[in-house]
Amino acid sequence: MTVDFYSFAKGVVKSILTPLYRIEVIGAEKFPKEGGVLLCANHISNLDPPILGITAPRPIHFMAKEELFRVPLLKNLITTLHAFPVKRGMSDRQALRTGLEVLKQGHVLGIFPEGTRSKDGKLKKGLPGVGFFALRTSAAVVPCAIIGSYRPFVPLKVVYGSPIDMTPLREKKASPEEATAYIMQHIQALLDQYR
């Protein structure tokens, strides 16, 4: 039921947003076909989650701000679409546990390391939570760059990079902050290359 609804919703949203924003997807073939994936993207619009949802080859589980789950109909919808709540501005242990479980079960966890939207489109410093997930699991870490203005009929690019080799950082027991900075460098490289 849930998988069918996700596929149905993806098809509907894709039929609307793809022509509206002339979406160009680059590098989707690099996306791991199986196993846990930590998908890390820059954040420039409230439309980023559905844009990733319709362009990624696999269903994505997103952390969503807790406030969204207080709206009854919206709560049901986003829960069906694999979202789970996170309290912003603090360490949310339950959200961290849920995220780890998503990855350990071999699913895709979508995360915006900046934590909030960038007002000027420039990549901000990432939060340590993404580094925590990257270090605590063996999931593939995929950087992603969303490039464009979200103006109708102006092309929007979604670029998926090759999985980042986190082995050296895992072996040297790097801090979550170090791991996050390393991931952010890869996102920035995609932004620089494809802008």
Side-chain angles (χ1 to χ4, degrees):
M1 167 67 184
T2 303
V3 173
D4 289 344
F5 181 75
Y6 188 101
S7 299
F8 169 75
K10 179 175 179 174
V12 171
V13 175
K14 191 170 190 171
S15 70
I16 297 166
L17 296 185
T18 300
L20 181 62
Y21 295 118
R22 297 190 178 169
I23 298 170
E24 179 187 1
V25 183
I26 299 167
E29 72 283 353
K30 299 174 186 173
F31 205 94
K33 292 182 173 48
E34 56 188 29
V37 174
L38 181 61
L39 174 60
C40 306
N42 61 316
H43 199 9
I44 55 175
S45 166
N46 284 330
L47 287 171
D48 293 340
I51 290 293
L52 292 184
I54 64 172
T55 58
R58 293 169 55 190
I60 305 172
H61 297 246
F62 280 110
M63 282 186 177
K65 57 186 179 183
E66 188 189 35
E67 296 84 358
L68 298 177
F69 290 84
R70 295 184 196 142
V71 184
L73 286 175
L74 185 59
K75 175 186 177 180
N76 293 342
L77 177 64
I78 60 178
T79 300
T80 306
L81 295 173
H82 310 318
F84 60 95
V86 60
K87 295 184 180 84
R88 296 194 297 173
M90 64 183 81
S91 178
D92 184 343
R93 289 174 184 271
Q94 182 55 48
L96 292 175
R97 278 195 292 270
T98 303
L100 286 174
E101 194 55 34
V102 165
L103 293 170
K104 284 175 181 169
Q105 287 180 4
H107 300 302
V108 179
L109 176 63
I111 197 163
F112 299 102
E114 295 159 284
T116 188
R117 283 170 294 142
S118 168
K119 301 278 192 298
D120 60 7
K122 291 179 182 165
L123 193 66
K124 306 292 184 219
K125 184 178 177 184
L127 300 172
V130 68
F132 169 82
F133 287 124
L135 295 170
R136 288 288 295 271
T137 69
S138 59
V141 178
V142 174
C144 176
I146 303 169
I147 302 168
S149 63
Y150 279 99
R151 288 202 305 273
F153 312 115
V154 175
L156 183 77
K157 285 183 192 165
V158 182
V159 185
Y160 291 100
S162 299
I164 303 167
D165 183 9
M166 300 299 293
T167 310
L169 280 84
R170 288 171 180 151
E171 286 177 351
K172 78 166 195 168
K173 306 220 179 322
S175 69
E177 290 79 8
E178 286 177 279
T180 296
Y182 188 59
I183 292 166
M184 299 309 279
Q185 287 170 13
H186 283 76
I187 297 174
Q188 185 63 60
L190 292 176
L191 289 167
D192 293 342
Q193 184 178 352
Y194 289 96
R195 259 198 183 121

